[in-house]
Amino acid sequence: MDRDRQTYRLVSRIGLVAAPAMFFLPLIYLMVTADYQPWAVIRMTAAFAVLVSASSFAAMANTPPDKSPGTHQLWAVPVAIVVLFPGAVFSFGLAVMIVSLLSRAYAASA
């Protein structure tokens, strides 16, 4: 049983590192290349669901030994689905803001 909890810890750590990377790397790519890719917003939106999933695995790792760790998946799946809409709005707004700032900076330099 302790081995499963080590796996949950490992997955949660990977998810807690991967989620910010999934969110910020498309933004960095956009700022460096000034090339807007529509897939960037989808990747950034998925980062929110990965963050919820990593939180669920962290909760599963910290479940007392006499309880079932799988019960945390009951709240994680609906929360991940609900988080996708505000995550998409936030990701799209941030990407549009960066594109707008880059286009203004380009227009000012020309």
Side-chain angles (χ1 to χ4, degrees):
M1 192 66 166
D2 189 44
R3 183 179 182 144
D4 290 339
R5 299 196 192 285
Q6 288 177 345
T7 305
Y8 297 149
R9 283 186 195 94
L10 177 66
V11 170
S12 70
R13 288 180 185 147
I14 290 170
L16 290 173
V17 170
M22 287 173 63
F23 186 80
F24 289 113
L25 285 177
L27 289 177
I28 292 169
Y29 176 80
L30 177 63
M31 289 188 288
V32 170
T33 64
D35 180 30
Y36 176 74
Q37 298 288 329
W39 288 103
V41 174
I42 294 170
R43 287 185 199 116
M44 292 167 57
T45 302
F48 286 91
V50 170
L51 188 61
V52 169
S53 179
S55 300
S56 169
F57 275 99
M60 288 177 9
N62 293 317
T63 303
D66 58 339
K67 303 276 181 158
S68 173
T71 58
H72 293 288
Q73 290 297 314
L74 295 175
W75 62 263
V77 172
V79 169
I81 291 169
V82 169
V83 162
L84 286 176
F85 180 71
V89 171
F90 179 72
S91 300
F92 182 73
L94 192 60
V96 166
M97 183 183 74
I98 289 175
V99 168
S100 173
L101 290 172
L102 288 174
S103 65
R104 285 184 189 176
Y106 181 73
S109 69

